[in-house]
Amino acid sequence: MTIAVSILPEQQLAALNAAYGKAVARKRLRVLGGLVVFVAALIVASIGAEVNLHTLFTYFGNFVSYFDRILTLDSGQRVWTNFGEWFWGLRNWLKLLGETLLISYVGTMIGAVLAFGLNFLAAENTAPAAWLRFTVRRLLEFARTVPGIVFALIFVIAFGLGPMAGVLAIAIHSTGALGKLFSEIVENADMKPVEGIRSTGASWISCMRFAILPQVSAGYASYALLRFEINVREASVMGFVGAGGIGQEFIVAIRKFYYSDVSAILVTIIVTVFLIDITTGWVRGRLFGKEARN
């Protein structure tokens, strides 16, 4: 009996070690299998997307040489040796960049207002009717699924060249994107205040105003600022199709092979986006907490 008692714990320990080893082996096998599936899917997708490594490495030098050209002035010197010549058109570029910022701001504000009006109808816990929620969600999906530059091209065709096309394109795309984000915030709101206000006989609008809105207003502001950051970059690209802003000057420089102008405009856009990202990130952090600054 004494021998059996002394041997039993060792047997249990060996059994536990064996079971643990099998579990670890199965986990490693699953990880390896997942990795194999991921690599296989990536290879198949790359073939379907016509990603050709031979072409990539053959013509990679063209990519490098283009950057070499845009960092060289007409005189053959590097651009940073003569900032006056490099940024010769800075006054005009800043004016166009200001136009880009205004396009982004106006489009974002219009989109935020429309998203604010629609998100309560799209949220699972606040929509008055299922059919209305379904309709509004599909509308928001359409607005954010079509690329903003496509909307810009359509509006340029409809209304002509200029900032108006860019504003409308950004407003529609922002409505779809912010509508989804706003509705997700609402779906995570505490519904007990809504039940309390509803018990007094208050209307649906009153429930949204006094029970939901105080909980989600900071999140709305945070996402609207984040969207403004994104829209500044979007507006810069929309100028490629004639929707106003710095993008129009940028595409002209590219097409006419004004190499140093390309790099100067690009640097101007990048610095502006950096400053906006830092500023709005700080504001979002103040409104929504430290995690919103990243």
Side-chain angles (χ1 to χ4, degrees), residues 82-103:
N82 190 338
F83 281 93
E85 184 178 350
W86 189 18
F87 288 96
W88 68 272
L90 184 61
R91 180 174 297 181
N92 181 51
W93 297 338
L94 289 178
K95 180 181 177 181
L96 293 173
L97 192 58
E99 185 177 89
T100 298
L101 295 177
L102 291 176
I103 291 172

Side-chain angles (χ1 to χ4, degrees), residues 46 49-58:
S46 299
E50 298 184 3
V51 176
N52 191 322
L53 294 179
H54 175 71
T55 302
L56 175 64
F57 290 112
T58 300

Side-chain angles (χ1 to χ4, degrees), residues 158-227:
F159 302 108
L161 300 173
M164 181 177 176
V167 170
L168 294 175
I170 287 178
I172 291 179
H173 204 271
S174 296
T175 300
L178 290 177
K180 178 176 175 59
L181 295 173
F182 287 0
S183 64
E184 289 180 350
I185 297 176
V186 171
E187 289 176 348
N188 292 319
D190 185 4
M191 294 302 291
K192 291 181 180 179
V194 176
E195 296 172 1
I197 294 178
R198 187 178 294 160
S199 65
T200 65
S203 64
W204 179 84
I205 294 179
S206 296
C207 291
M208 297 303 101
R209 177 182 177 185
F210 296 107
I212 297 294
L213 190 57
Q215 301 182 57
V216 300
S217 57
Y220 283 2
S222 175
Y223 279 130
L225 287 169
L226 177 61
R227 191 67 206 178

Side-chain angles (χ1 to χ4, degrees), residues 33-53:
L35 182 60
V36 170
V37 171
F38 170 77
V39 172
L42 180 61
I43 292 173
V44 172
S46 299
I47 295 173
E50 298 184 3
V51 176
N52 191 322
L53 294 179

Side-chain angles (χ1 to χ4, degrees), residues 235-265:
S236 300
V237 176
M238 286 180 184
F240 287 14
V241 296
I246 191 68
Q248 290 186 205
E249 188 74 9
F250 190 43
I251 194 63
V252 168
I254 292 174
R255 289 175 176 173
K256 292 188 176 181
F257 304 106
Y258 297 157
Y259 293 114
S260 60
D261 289 3
V262 171
S263 60
I265 295 172

